[in-house]
Structure formats: C-alpha cells, structure tokens
Amino acid sequence: MQPPRGRPRSFDVEAAVERAMDVFWSRGYHATALPDLLRATKLSRGSLYAAFGDKHSLFLRALDRYIADALTRMDVELDPRRAAVDGLRAYLAGYVERTRGANGRRGCLLVATAMELAGQDAEVNRRAAGFFRAMEARMADALSRAEAAGKLADGVEPASAARILVCFVEGLRVVAKTASTQITSQATADALLDRFIR
C-alpha cells in the first residue's frame, strides 16, 4: 500500500472559500490582490495554490458558493408547500432585507461580477447566465402555481413576469447601494407584484 502523498490539509476549505468570497465581494475581482486573499484566508501562498490553483480558480469557486447559497435561499422562500403568492412575497421581502445596511451597500456579487467580467470571461459569463436562468425558472414555477390557484391576474404570462421580477430584484440591489430606503424598496416590490396577482 502506498502511503498518502503530502501532508493532509489543516484548514477548512469551505471557510477559506467563504472568506475569499467576502474579499471579492467587497473589492471586485481585479482590485483583489493575492496578498488580500492570503490575509483573509490565513493561508500561505503555497497552501492557497495547492488547494485552489490560482486567483481565478478561487474566484470561480467563490462565485459557485455565492450562487449555491442564493439558490438555496430562494428555494426556502419559494417553498412549493406554501401558497405561491406568499412565497413570492417572502422572496421579494428577503431581497429587500438584503439591501439594508453595510451588506446591502455591497450589492449583489453576481451583478457586480457580470458588470466587471462577463464580457471578457467565458466562465464568469456562463455562471452568471446560468444563475439568472435558474432564478427565472424558480420564479416562473411559483407564478405558474399562482396561476393554477387562480391568483394570477388576467393576461399575465408566468415566464415573462418571472423575467421582469428577476430584472427588478437585481436592479433593486444596484439602486439600494445609493440612498434607497427599505420602506421605499418594499413598497416598490409590493406594487410590482400586485400588478401580477389578483
């Protein structure tokens, strides 16, 4: 039997990814330097490269983590065991809540990344496009359930309404980086959803 090669990792890989994600989220991809990542993850250069490859690979791993967390949260908020309209209201209220305070001013990592890199980085483009498609699909499913329950307004098509809602929530994250208040954001979200339901 061959003994295992190298020393086993003595750090929590997922915790390191989360700390790196926070740095990328706060600074952006290009403005994040290797020393920033080493400081945040508390890893040596050798350990970081051995675990993740390079800065770009670590960034993609952090982006995957952000996407997985966002979609999991969406699945909880739009849980099909609850009434579809209640789920949609919970989802929008959750987005409004995430626009508050210091975290709200950071905005959405996916939107910031798309603005910075999507036109130049095929892997980032693929992830961002996939994330927005997954959001639309979940929203369209909830709207279809609302339609089946007789709660959708006449003439509202679930797929089109889902696309509008995705554009709205991501736009909300951008607008909320400025002076938007939670009350204004919630009122706007309610007004939009009220156009789609009866």
Side-chain angles (χ1 to χ4, degrees), residues 29-30 56 59-60 112-126:
Y29 178 75
H30 287 305
H56 188 256
F59 179 68
L60 294 178
T113 297
M115 297 297 287
E116 184 181 6
L117 296 174
Q120 317 153 28
D121 187 316
E123 283 299 311
V124 165
N125 193 59
R126 186 175 63 77

Side-chain angles (χ1 to χ4, degrees), residues 98-172:
R98 288 186 285 281
T99 65
R100 296 179 60 205
N103 275 341
R105 283 190 296 279
R106 284 201 302 182
C108 172
L109 176 61
L110 247 297
V111 170
T113 297
M115 297 297 287
E116 184 181 6
L117 296 174
Q120 317 153 28
D121 187 316
E123 283 299 311
V124 165
N125 193 59
R126 186 175 63 77
R127 283 166 169 79
F131 176 63
F132 295 134
R133 278 195 306 272
M135 287 178 72
E136 275 187 31
R138 284 162 168 77
M139 209 96 78
D141 177 68
L143 288 159
S144 294
R145 287 188 288 109
E147 183 177 45
K151 299 292 186 184
L152 216 57
D154 292 339
V156 173
E157 201 276 309
S160 297
R163 200 162 302 116
I164 291 166
L165 286 169
V166 168
C167 290
F168 168 75
V169 294
E170 295 303 350
L172 183 66

Side-chain angles (χ1 to χ4, degrees), residues 20-103:
M21 180 181 74
D22 283 338
V23 177
F24 287 124
W25 196 352
S26 297
R27 300 176 63 91
Y29 178 75
H30 287 305
T32 297
L34 185 60
D36 301 321
L37 294 169
L38 297 177
R39 201 165 30 254
T41 59
K42 300 178 172 55
L43 297 177
S44 69
R45 183 183 297 255
S47 293
L48 188 139
Y49 279 120
F52 303 111
D54 57 12
K55 173 184 160 179
H56 188 256
S57 298
L58 177 54
F59 179 68
L60 294 178
R61 182 87 175 258
L63 212 50
D64 289 341
R65 168 69 182 268
Y66 183 88
I67 290 168
D69 289 349
L71 293 178
T72 297
R73 190 170 48 243
M74 194 173 187
D75 289 339
V76 169
E77 290 165 346
L78 294 175
D79 188 336
R81 291 171 296 187
R82 75 194 311 175
V85 172
D86 292 343
L88 287 163
R89 289 204 187 281
Y91 173 70
L92 291 175
Y95 246 86
V96 168
E97 179 63 29
R98 288 186 285 281
T99 65
R100 296 179 60 205
N103 275 341

